[in-house]
Amino acid sequence: MATPSPIPAGISKEQAFSMAQTEMEYRVELFNKLAQTCFRKCVDNRYKEAELNMGDNSCIDRCVSKYWQVNGMVGQLLSVGKPPM
């Protein structure tokens, strides 16, 4: 039995590699922006303690959750071709 190709029909290996590379770059950029945004918002610049406290952890958890939620909403809007609100 033949194994199905992971590359969609009509796309060359080079195109698939380029698409995967672009997707990886997007994911890395998204993660970096998320980390920077939530760190700036939630962690005190004075570093009073060596560990994050409960308030910092809670803020970061909420920030990451909201960031992913908004990212998903924007992705859905873009995928159906609707302009953002």
Side-chain angles (χ1 to χ4, degrees):
M1 180 172 214
T3 304
S5 173
I7 300 173
I11 296 179
S12 70
K13 285 184 180 182
E14 292 79 21
Q15 288 173 318
F17 180 75
S18 177
M19 289 167 55
Q21 187 174 9
T22 301
E23 178 70 15
M24 182 58 83
E25 289 168 359
Y26 164 75
R27 297 283 177 173
V28 168
E29 182 181 358
L30 178 68
F31 174 80
N32 288 336
K33 283 182 180 179
L34 175 130
Q36 289 172 355
T37 299
C38 293
F39 186 85
R40 256 187 270 125
K41 181 178 185 210
C42 297
V43 179
D44 189 8
N45 290 337
R46 292 174 286 185
Y47 301 114
K48 295 179 242 174
E49 303 169 15
E51 304 275 329
L52 293 175
N53 62 38
M54 185 64 86
D56 295 338
N57 284 325
S58 181
C59 179
I60 290 170
D61 187 46
R62 284 191 310 271
C63 180
V64 168
S65 177
K66 288 177 184 178
Y67 201 98
W68 279 117
Q69 184 180 16
V70 169
N71 186 54
M73 290 166 60
V74 169
Q76 287 178 344
L77 287 172
L78 291 175
S79 69
V80 295
K82 293 182 181 176
M85 293 188 251

